[in-house]
Amino acid sequence: VQNDWGVTLWLLTSDERRPHLGGNKYHKLAGYVNQARSQNVQHLLTMAGAHSNHLRAFAALVAMGEFSGTALIRGEELNDPARHSAEIREAIAAGVNCVFVTRGLYRQLRAAHDASEVQKLVAQGELPRSVFIPEGGHGLPGTVGVAAWAAQAAGFSEVYLACATGTTCAGFLLGTTAPTRIVGVSVVRNERSVMETIGMLAGNEAQRFTLLTEYDQGGFARVYPGHAEFCNRLSAAWGVTVDPVYVGKAAAAIADRAQKGLVTGQTLLVYTYNE
């Protein structure tokens, strides 16, 4: 794609670009979908924040009709319909059973590994036989789905992508081989958590991973002055939406590092955005 940074830059998009279900969201969920199919399970169980992109993606998946779904949503006060976010309304319209839980219980759910462990914590009657999708599609099945997509990154010197939990980065490590390096650009301040995730999910391939923490622009959903204009210019030049929170921060990292002579060879930017 066109740039004025002196970089031979390519953009990897997803073939799956349905509304709210594309980019890395689709590929993380695809691993769990394949697990459900292999186990002949028709119900998906997840957990999500009230305003999360994961909830939107999960709703879009359930709306396709192959699976029913339950979402455990942080905040018991959201039992009041007047307090529903746009994402919750979309989920309910898609047929998702939304269960609102206390923040304390939600923290406990983050340690659950499967649907049976969730059932022990959630007193909502017997849940259907389910495949459990952790918050954000985190976990090994999520990386398996991403790794299939990442095979298209073979042969590049460096692959840059926005990094929130580390699951997508781990998938790219599993889907590529040396000498390709995977460069995660932090969009939230959780370096320790990301590195633990990479180590757990990518094993020895973690040696090919670099996490850049200096481009989060103050934390999630925060941006520096001028960043929106930077993203708008790229959107116009590339013909896709370069969002300021994810793809835009990864692009800004490439631009800055290129000016410092730190980007050489064939470079790939992963387009994770889909709304």
Side-chain angles (χ1 to χ4, degrees):
V1 292
Q2 176 186 348
N3 66 88
D4 55 7
W5 315 324
V7 176
T8 304
L9 183 65
W10 298 77
L11 188 69
L12 176 62
T13 60
S14 173
D15 292 337
E16 183 63 52
R17 299 179 72 176
R18 303 176 191 227
H20 310 316
L21 188 59
N24 65 327
K25 299 181 192 69
Y26 167 78
H27 292 284
K28 284 195 286 186
L29 288 172
Y32 289 96
V33 165
N34 289 337
Q35 178 183 340
R37 287 171 178 160
S38 68
Q39 296 175 2
N40 196 29
V41 172
Q42 279 78 49
H43 192 81
L44 303 175
L45 172 66
T46 196
M47 49 189 293
H51 299 277
S52 67
N53 289 331
H54 176 66
L55 180 57
R56 273 191 160 157
F58 185 75
L61 175 61
V62 170
M64 292 169 63
E66 182 178 358
F67 301 96
S68 58
T70 295
L72 307 175
I73 299 173
R74 181 175 57 241
E76 62 181 338
E77 71 278 4
L78 296 171
N79 276 301
D80 178 2
R83 305 187 68 167
H84 286 181
S85 64
E87 292 80 2
I88 292 172
R89 290 194 294 271
E90 288 175 18
I92 292 173
V96 176
N97 174 32
C98 293
V99 178
F100 305 105
V101 302
T102 67
R103 283 164 173 77
L105 176 55
Y106 196 87
R107 285 192 293 271
Q108 294 180 61
L109 289 168
R110 282 183 168 144
H113 295 94
D114 56 38
S116 64
E117 292 185 13
V118 172
Q119 178 69 78
K120 292 174 183 177
L121 292 168
V122 180
Q124 287 291 325
E126 190 68 27
L127 293 170
R129 182 166 172 259
S130 310
V131 162
F132 176 54
I133 305 173
E135 186 177 33
H138 178 71
L140 187 58
T143 64
V144 171
V146 172
W149 181 35
Q152 299 177 64
F156 286 91
S157 301
E158 290 188 322
V159 178
Y160 281 75
L161 66 161
C163 181
T165 67
T167 302
T168 302
C169 290
F172 270 81
L173 286 165
L174 293 174
T176 58
T177 58
T180 298
R181 291 200 60 81
I182 307 302
V183 182
V185 180
S186 287
V187 298
V188 294
R189 296 187 170 180
N190 60 342
E191 178 180 1
R192 180 177 177 181
S193 174
V194 166
M195 296 309 296
E196 288 176 351
T197 293
I198 294 294
M200 178 179 65
L201 297 178
N204 290 336
E205 300 300 331
Q207 299 172 33
R208 296 187 290 113
F209 180 67
T210 300
L211 182 65
L212 304 178
T213 59
E214 62 267 43
Y215 298 102
D216 66 16
Q217 302 194 23
F220 187 71
R222 297 182 182 180
V223 297
Y224 291 150
H227 183 64
E229 289 76 11
F230 169 81
C231 293
N232 289 338
R233 288 196 302 273
L234 295 185
S235 296
W238 297 352
V240 296
T241 299
V242 177
D243 72 290
V245 175
Y246 293 99
V247 179
K249 289 182 180 180
I254 295 173
D256 180 65
R257 287 170 62 81
Q259 292 168 4
K260 296 173 180 176
L262 299 175
V263 180
T264 59
Q266 298 279 334
T267 303
L268 180 69
L269 172 61
V270 180
Y271 186 74
T272 54
Y273 181 77
N274 180 270
E275 283 301 312

